[in-house]
Amino acid sequence: MNNYLTPSRRALKDKNIIIGICGGIAAYKTPQLVRLLKKKGADVRVALTESGSRFVSELSLATVSQAQVYRSIFPPAENTGSDFTTHITLGEWADALVIAPATANTLARLAAGFCDDMLATCFITLRPGKPVLVFPAMDGQMYISPSVQRNLATLKAQGAIIIEPESGELASGQCGTGRMPEPEAIAAYIEAALSVTHPSLLRGRSIVITAGPTREKIDDVRFISNYSSGKMGFAIAGAAAGRGANVTLIAGPVNLDTPRGVERIDVESAVQMREVAGNFFRSCDIFIGAAAVADYRPAAVIPGKLKKNNPEIQFTLVKNPDILSDFGFQKQAGQLAVGFALEQDNGPANALKKLEEKNLDLVALNFSDRKTSGFEVDTNMLTLIERGGITTELPLLSKEEAARKLLDAIENICRQT
Ligand code: C5P
């Protein structure tokens, strides 16, 4: 594996970290976590929920963090000082927000955008690009419930890093998935998140990403399209925004929430996608074509609804603009073009040919069986091919993790150019 994929062991030094603690039995591990992070050089503040305070004492947390513990967004009545805006400044201060344990109730509050205590408010006021790590911990049945899974999916779509709970014995005495990882493991996750996001070479760069399918109209009620769900492109957009990039996401028709910190423009056809993308080419630093753009469109759109009177009909299809190729050839020194190649046979050779033909800097080769990899599913297996044929084979990963690896590779190219 390339060096640039390894997290830094000193990533916590001088970092400002908020630990959000909710009301679950795993909260008893959090003073230990706070101590560990302090030992690694981090400055830690605790945002404790009302229920969290039933499981772990404010005094213990204040002692180990050597700081005030925050609960309500309202300052105490006796406060006559300048401490009236902490509900905003605390979130702005943080390099990372870690919610451990995250309970079903707080997941619902965060997914719905509530600001009813300091933890929920920090989630909203955290600066774009700063990582949010969520460690759900609860009873196994609660964890797999549709409500919890829906709220986790919402937070994930907004860019939060969700760390699956571990399996083992739960507080109920039963075995299941719901255990919070040990403090050492949590610290390692935070180190990994901070070592890629800070300092990220993508911070402040403008990245334009196309995602999802396009729809090519046949008549006013029918279209030609494909199975793309947009998940890969949206995951890249969320991960890039998480690293502090200014991300514009040009999305075909998909059923996905906009990732946190991303500007999204919805389009329908390839021609519209090309037109919108064209407005951003000149000023962007990196263009990533993750959309499954239809290669052809009907030459003419039939007005109204096509009648089924004829035993057979014929369409003429005309070629759509190749958005990525256009950018590949328009790009100036310092701009990068990245694409995907969905290949069946001879993958690496065809992907490299595509890289050369479209004048790209990186191609992510994948395949689609619609079960483990490619269209619609939540995982993908990418092979990253750079100029000169430099190849990095990635294993089957969640699309979020695959997106992070792709961005690592892009950062590596930025570093060399
Ligand atoms: O040539 P092919 O369609 O295999 O290339 C795939 C790559 O090119 C993807 O990154 C896709 O987003 C991009 N593409 C495009 N416009 C097209 C066709 C493909 O931007 N019309």
Side-chain angles (χ1 to χ4, degrees):
M1 202 52 75
N2 295 313
N3 283 339
Y4 60 85
L5 300 175
T6 318
S8 157
R9 305 183 74 203
R10 290 174 55 80
L12 288 170
K13 179 105 184 60
D14 298 327
K15 293 291 161 18
N16 297 335
I17 296 178
I18 301 174
I19 303 291
I21 303 173
C22 311
I25 182 61
Y28 82 89
K29 298 178 185 174
T30 53
Q32 190 92 36
L33 172 65
V34 173
R35 274 196 78 197
L36 184 61
L37 299 178
K38 295 276 294 178
K39 252 172 107 175
K40 286 174 177 275
D43 199 354
V44 181
R45 297 286 182 279
V46 172
L48 184 64
T49 68
E50 186 60 36
S51 317
S53 68
R54 307 278 189 110
F55 289 86
V56 60
S57 97
E58 202 171 317
L59 182 61
S60 307
L61 292 164
T63 308
V64 287
S65 66
Q66 296 164 327
Q68 177 195 343
V69 169
Y70 297 92
R71 283 170 57 178
S72 163
I73 51 172
F74 303 109
E78 66 274 15
N79 182 0
T80 51
S82 57
D83 204 11
F84 294 106
T85 53
T86 316
H87 64 292
I88 296 165
T89 52
L90 188 62
E92 289 176 340
W93 165 88
D95 292 307
L97 170 63
V98 180
I99 306 173
T103 54
N105 188 52
T106 289
L107 292 175
R109 289 191 300 131
L110 300 183
F114 278 58
C115 282
D116 51 354
D117 67 2
M118 194 58 104
L119 195 169
T121 308
C122 287
F123 177 71
I124 292 198
T125 56
L126 194 75
R127 299 290 90 185
K130 307 290 183 182
V132 178
L133 289 92
V134 179
F135 291 84
M138 63 196 75
D139 164 72
Q141 285 306 318
M142 285 175 80
Y143 180 66
I144 59 172
S145 76
S147 313
V148 167
Q149 290 302 315
R150 182 197 59 219
N151 292 329
L152 284 171
T154 301
L155 298 178
K156 191 169 167 183
Q158 290 179 16
I161 302 168
I162 312 289
I163 287 90
E164 286 246 326
E166 296 174 352
S167 297
E169 199 183 324
L170 302 173
S172 59
Q174 298 192 335
C175 282
T177 301
R179 281 171 63 91
M180 188 174 87
E182 295 303 318
E184 289 73 17
I186 295 180
Y189 279 113
I190 305 171
E191 273 172 347
L194 284 172
S195 59
V196 286
T197 55
H198 188 82
S200 167
L201 289 175
L202 302 183
R203 186 174 298 272
R205 297 206 194 210
S206 78
I207 304 186
V208 176
I209 301 169
T210 63
T214 62
R215 285 181 182 172
E216 311 301 331
K217 279 178 83 171
I218 296 171
D219 62 14
D220 285 339
V221 294
R222 302 180 181 93
F223 53 81
I224 298 173
S225 191
N226 56 62
Y227 288 113
S228 168
S229 62
K231 286 177 185 169
M232 191 67 237
F234 274 58
I236 299 169
R243 293 182 189 201
N246 303 317
V247 182
T248 306
L249 177 62
I250 306 170
V254 295
N255 191 13
L256 296 172
D257 291 332
T258 308
R260 194 164 145 249
V262 167
E263 190 197 340
R264 168 174 172 180
I265 302 168
D266 286 327
V267 296
E268 202 168 286
S269 66
V271 168
Q272 287 169 351
M273 190 176 268
R274 168 68 185 80
E275 198 184 318
V276 174
N279 297 333
F280 292 95
F281 282 169
R282 199 190 288 267
S283 58
C284 81
D285 297 302
I286 302 167
F287 183 85
I288 305 177
V293 185
D295 291 325
Y296 294 91
R297 67 178 185 278
V301 178
I302 297 161
K305 185 181 170 201
L306 178 66
K307 295 256 183 278
K308 53 180 173 196
N309 303 337
N310 300 319
E312 140 178 325
I313 47 170
Q314 288 196 344
F315 292 118
T316 302
L317 300 178
V318 294
K319 199 118 199 229
N320 266 331
D322 191 316
I323 305 167
L324 181 61
S325 177
D326 285 354
F327 180 70
F329 285 99
Q330 284 179 24
K331 72 185 163 86
Q332 307 287 315
Q335 291 185 304
L336 296 182
V338 176
F340 278 76
L342 188 73
E343 301 291 339
Q344 284 168 328
D345 312 304
N346 240 345
N350 281 337
L352 184 58
K353 197 162 156 251
K354 197 156 289 176
L355 178 137
E356 283 157 4
E357 281 172 359
K358 299 195 187 197
N359 196 29
L360 308 179
D361 300 279
L362 177 71
V363 159
L365 165 67
N366 63 345
F367 67 95
S368 183
D369 58 6
R370 297 177 57 210
K371 291 192 187 88
T372 60
S373 185
F375 286 154
E376 292 179 299
V377 294
D378 291 333
T379 47
N380 217 356
M381 192 149 75
L382 302 181
T383 298
L384 308 180
I385 301 172
E386 297 172 38
R387 283 181 168 275
I390 305 161
T391 300
T392 309
E393 281 183 31
L394 299 176
L396 187 68
L397 298 169
S398 69
K399 284 189 172 164
E400 286 70 29
E401 186 60 17
R404 286 194 279 275
K405 301 289 190 209
L406 175 69
L407 293 181
D408 288 341
I410 293 173
E411 285 205 31
N412 198 40
I413 297 174
C414 292
R415 200 168 287 126
Q416 291 162 9
T417 49

